[in-house]
Amino acid sequence: MALSNDNQIKEIIVIGAGVVGLTTALKIQEQGTYRVTIVAETFPTDPRSSRYTSHWAGAHHVSHACDDQRQRKLDQDTFHALWKLSEPGGAAEGCFLRHTQTEYRGDDLTDAEWLHYMPDFKYLDPNELRGPAKMGFSFSTVTMNTPAYLNWLLSSFLAKNGTIVRVSLQHISQLLERGISPYTGAHSYRDVDAIVVCAGIGARSLGGVEDKDVYPIRGQTVLLRAPWIKFGRTMTEADGTYTYTMPRSNGDVLCGGTRVPNDWYPVPRPEVTEDILTRALQLTPELAPPQTRVDRDPTVEDLRSIIIEPGCGLRPGRKGGIRLEVEWFDVPARGKVPVVYNYGHSGYGFLSSWGSANMALDLLEGALTSGAPTNADICAGLPSGNLGN
């Protein structure tokens, strides 16, 4: 039996519980006029696996937007949100480390104008460069302890009366007709006013979306225990190789990395782990325990004792970049229901999460305010049959 929705409260379902889904759900919930449910197969509290990419992210806020004006705004809005969360006494201070980030560039980049808004931004003098770098710059930013931050997002959502439901979803129509009731066993349900798809790489196979422009970009990392490291470094070489060391608030340092399109391999490759350790030590010799550096140069062997774990994840790449738009679905006996898309963030989910959540909220509210357009070309039909069972 369908329950009548309060005229002031709209029923919203967010698909996906990675950093983008959690942030988007929390942003929508904060408006006070929505009842929000997150539907996902995997949550931050689950054992780590390559199926849930957000756990394996760095993640530091270093925008790569360059000339992409939309991406610049997404990243800048997110930085301001994270900077506020990380301030002393901030809501999530313990999830972040504020530090100096140094970027070394051995490619053809000549300036980083899109990053000039970052605190303490400055270009490096030639005598400050290292390795193959031809230019460089530094600024203050934040690094996130991603497992802690993801759980902070989830707990914040739950504390505001958010609902989560674990579902292995095959098609979004399974939610459009009777909401989450097929998965909770409830005999009554409220009509869903809108769905927001934040499915990451799952958008490639999720029925009703099936976006073949989505593809994996495999990344591999090594997590070290090195609490003496309080700064971040990245080296981008001419051939595209990039190496980073990202310190976290708990004393761990994430080292990487790799970007391999269309590589689905789900576990760390030992030879790649060795390559990452070698490159990370060249970039940041200070990674080695201080006692090993007293009277000699450190070696990779000095890092063995501080390895916590190697890791890998499948970043949700997408040809054409992040998908942020609305599509209307015809639902039997209901009419048209808006579906907002917010996925395809590649390796930049954390650094654009709040900005894309803002844009997804704008799209959602615009759709609910204006109603369905009359142009049938932007409406999608649902499969026939007993949907939602």
Side-chain angles (χ1 to χ4, degrees):
M1 178 181 68
L3 299 176
S4 61
N5 284 0
D6 187 313
N7 289 335
Q8 301 303 313
I9 300 295
K10 299 291 188 181
E11 293 288 331
I12 309 298
I13 295 178
V14 174
I15 299 174
V19 66
V20 173
L22 291 170
T23 307
T24 302
L26 192 56
K27 186 68 182 181
I28 295 169
Q29 183 189 57
E30 286 174 350
Q31 308 313 302
T33 55
Y34 302 103
R35 187 181 289 109
V36 186
T37 299
I38 298 175
V39 168
E41 186 173 2
T42 310
F43 288 91
T45 49
D46 294 347
R48 291 202 256 183
S49 76
S50 62
R51 291 178 60 83
Y52 186 80
T53 303
S54 291
H55 255 155
W56 301 107
H60 59 192
H61 197 285
V62 179
S63 173
H64 300 273
C66 299
D67 295 329
D68 186 332
Q69 295 302 316
R70 184 183 75 162
Q71 192 65 48
R72 284 192 186 196
K73 178 169 175 52
L74 298 181
D75 295 352
Q76 190 166 346
D77 287 352
T78 301
F79 175 76
H80 292 317
L82 297 178
W83 195 250
K84 182 173 180 60
L85 288 172
S86 68
E87 66 187 9
E93 177 188 5
C95 300
F96 298 90
L97 178 67
R98 290 186 174 190
H99 64 88
T100 299
Q101 172 71 21
T102 305
E103 295 279 313
Y104 300 98
R105 304 296 295 241
D107 54 7
D108 294 330
L109 186 72
T110 57
D111 71 77
E113 175 270 331
W114 75 93
L115 285 168
H116 286 182
Y117 69 91
M118 297 294 284
D120 308 312
F121 181 93
K122 71 180 186 72
Y123 289 100
L124 302 184
D125 293 330
N127 61 359
E128 296 178 281
L129 300 177
R130 58 177 57 217
K134 296 184 286 188
M135 65 91 71
F137 41 92
S138 67
F139 47 87
S140 295
T141 190
V142 293
T143 299
M144 287 153 268
N145 180 351
T146 53
Y149 179 58
L150 290 165
N151 279 286
W152 178 84
L153 289 170
L154 177 59
S155 62
S156 298
F157 174 76
L158 292 172
K160 295 179 174 67
N161 294 319
T163 301
I164 61 173
V165 181
R166 189 184 300 275
V167 174
S168 180
L169 198 66
Q170 285 82 47
H171 198 288
I172 60 174
S173 64
Q174 294 171 319
L175 299 173
L176 280 168
E177 186 172 350
R178 292 186 176 90
I180 61 173
S181 63
Y183 306 100
T184 63
H187 294 292
S188 59
Y189 62 92
R190 289 184 172 88
D191 287 333
V192 178
D193 292 292
I195 287 178
V196 184
V197 178
C198 305
I201 201 165
R204 180 179 175 88
S205 56
L206 177 61
V209 182
E210 297 168 283
D211 188 343
K212 298 310 179 185
D213 285 335
V214 173
Y215 63 97
I217 305 175
R218 186 179 182 275
Q220 188 164 322
T221 59
V222 185
L223 188 65
L224 305 180
R225 182 64 184 170
W228 51 88
I229 300 295
K230 302 295 185 184
F231 56 87
R233 289 176 184 160
T234 300
M235 174 71 72
T236 303
E237 301 184 37
D239 64 357
T241 300
Y242 84 120
T243 306
Y244 55 78
T245 54
M246 301 182 191
R248 290 178 172 175
S249 58
N250 65 348
D252 296 346
V253 178
L254 194 77
C255 303
T258 63
R259 290 193 189 106
V260 186
N262 296 306
D263 184 349
W264 291 89
Y265 194 66
V267 297
R269 295 186 175 101
E271 66 275 16
V272 177
T273 295
E274 291 301 304
D275 177 58
I276 290 172
L277 290 171
T278 299
R279 289 189 281 122
L281 188 62
Q282 290 173 346
L283 176 63
T284 309
E286 300 93 332
L287 284 172
Q291 65 271 20
T292 68
R293 298 183 267 115
V294 173
D295 54 7
R296 63 175 175 83
D297 292 333
T299 68
V300 169
E301 292 306 310
D302 297 319
L303 302 181
R304 305 285 180 201
S305 64
I306 62 171
I307 294 175
I308 298 174
E309 62 178 347
C312 75
L314 305 178
R315 305 178 183 97
R318 183 175 183 271
K319 299 173 185 176
I322 301 171
R323 186 181 184 188
L324 278 160
E325 61 184 1
V326 180
E327 188 174 18
W328 291 82
F329 280 72
D330 279 316
V331 179
R334 287 277 319 281
K336 296 179 176 63
V337 175
V339 173
V340 177
Y341 298 112
N342 182 15
Y343 65 82
H345 292 70
S346 187
Y348 311 124
F350 281 87
L351 69 86
S352 61
S353 54
W354 286 99
S356 61
N358 291 340
M359 187 170 289
L361 174 63
D362 289 344
L363 290 169
L364 172 68
E365 295 193 321
L368 293 175
T369 299
S370 64
T374 56
N375 184 353
D377 291 339
I378 65 170
C379 296
L382 296 182
S384 60
N386 192 12
L387 303 179
N389 292 321

